[in-house]
């Protein structure tokens, strides 16, 4: 769906293995519900987007008020993904009561953008999700590799993210990666609370950030 309002996607099972085969990508939409769906994909399962680079900034339509509930994520690059096309801005995205389970799922919760993309990612809330298996648990980056990423001058804003009451049971890579662009362009105001991570998991990577709160980590 592109430039749409009042979108409901319910009870859909998607198997889309192949290059760049995402499952569902609401792009510059308002008031979206994705509920009771199953995703098994060759790229991102759900990717919330808002236009790409210069063209996206010219149109400047955000994607906002997105609810993702009771979905199952199998193979994919990212399960619940924000970006990488963020030019118009992404805000007010809520995901809850979802299950992630595949050793071929790269990143259960994925945020990706870079200085070619611009825009913003803000007010994102994820709760009560179960990651039975994946490579990475939570992965946020402003250094997403794509054409022109190192040369862009439209640095995005990534802030106000709350992830809580989630369990991460089997991760073959890191539980948490958060990387801002630079000391002057940071990811800010992220809370990860009451989440359970595997005992003996690899160390987290957290760089170029401010006001990152990891609290009540369960074993």
């Amino acid at each position: 769906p592109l430039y749409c309002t009042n979108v409901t996607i319910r009870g859909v099972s998607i198997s889309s293995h192949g290059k760049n085969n995402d499952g569902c990508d609401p792009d510059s939409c308002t008031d979206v519900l994705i509920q009771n769906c199953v995703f098994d994909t060759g790229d991102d399962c759900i990717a919330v987007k808002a236009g790409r680079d210069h063209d996206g900034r010219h149109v400047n339509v955000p994607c906002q008020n997105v609810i993702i509930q009771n979905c199952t994520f199998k193979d994919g690059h990212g399960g619940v993904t924000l970006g990488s096309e963020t030019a118009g801005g992404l805000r007010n995205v809520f995901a809850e009561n979802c299950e992630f389970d595949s050793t071929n799922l790269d990143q259960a919760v994925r945020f990706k953008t870079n200085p070619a993309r611009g825009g913003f990612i803000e007010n994102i809330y994820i709760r009560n999700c179960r990651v039975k298996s994946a490579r990475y648990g939570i992965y946020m980056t402003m250094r997403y590799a794509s054409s022109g990423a190192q040369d862009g001058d439209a640095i995005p804003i990534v802030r106000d993210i709350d992830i809580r009451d989630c369990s991460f049971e089997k991760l073959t890579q890191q539980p948490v990666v958060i990387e801002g662009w630079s000391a002057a362009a940071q990811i800010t105001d992220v809370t990860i609370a009451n989440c359970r991570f595997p005992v003996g998991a690899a160390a987290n990577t957290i760089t170029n950030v401010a006001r990152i709160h990891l609290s009540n980590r369960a074993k």
Side-chain angles (χ1 to χ4, degrees):
L2 175 67
Y3 307 142
C4 295
T5 301
N6 298 331
V7 177
T8 298
I9 300 167
R10 179 183 289 126
V12 177
S13 294
I14 295 174
S15 179
S16 58
H17 284 262
K19 184 178 177 61
N20 288 334
N21 282 14
D22 286 8
C24 179
D25 294 357
D27 193 332
S28 297
C29 294
T30 294
D31 300 338
V32 178
L33 174 64
I34 304 172
Q35 187 180 65
N36 300 327
C37 294
V38 178
F39 297 93
D40 188 8
T41 68
D43 206 306
D44 292 323
C45 295
I46 295 174
V48 182
K49 301 175 180 288
R52 181 167 177 166
D53 301 353
H54 176 76
D55 180 65
R57 291 189 291 275
H58 174 73
V59 176
N60 196 32
V61 176
C63 200
Q64 58 191 351
N65 309 339
V66 178
I67 296 175
I68 301 165
Q69 290 179 322
N70 305 319
C71 290
T72 299
F73 301 90
K74 298 181 180 179
D75 291 5
H77 289 182
V80 173
T81 301
L82 287 300
S84 68
E85 292 87 337
T86 58
L90 313 176
R91 65 162 70 96
N92 305 339
V93 179
F94 303 83
E96 64 178 358
N97 303 326
C98 293
E99 183 173 285
F100 307 74
D101 188 12
S102 175
T103 56
N104 294 318
L105 177 60
D106 287 337
Q107 300 158 12
V109 178
R110 187 183 199 194
F111 297 68
K112 54 178 179 173
T113 187
N114 62 45
R117 297 289 192 247
F120 57 84
I121 302 173
E122 64 182 14
N123 301 339
I124 312 299
Y125 304 92
I126 298 171
R127 66 181 183 182
N128 298 329
C129 290
R130 181 184 183 190
V131 181
K132 296 174 69 175
S133 63
R135 292 175 180 148
Y136 292 87
I138 300 166
Y139 202 108
M140 305 181 193
T141 183
M142 293 175 67
R143 293 179 166 270
Y144 176 66
S146 65
S147 177
Q150 303 298 322
D151 304 319
D153 58 1
I155 296 175
I157 296 169
V158 182
R159 64 188 178 192
D160 297 326
I161 298 159
D162 189 289
I163 301 171
R164 62 181 59 240
D165 301 317
C166 296
S167 65
F168 299 81
E169 297 173 12
K170 180 181 178 182
L171 302 175
T172 58
Q173 299 293 328
Q174 294 165 279
V176 178
V177 174
I178 305 175
E179 54 180 5
W181 176 249
S182 67
Q186 301 178 323
I187 294 175
T188 68
D189 301 292
V190 175
T191 296
I192 301 173
N194 305 327
C195 290
R196 183 182 300 273
F197 296 99
V199 174
N204 299 328
T205 297
I206 300 177
T207 59
N208 294 321
V209 302
R211 299 181 297 281
I212 306 297
H213 306 286
L214 283 71
S215 63
N216 298 331
R217 172 173 170 170
K219 294 291 187 179

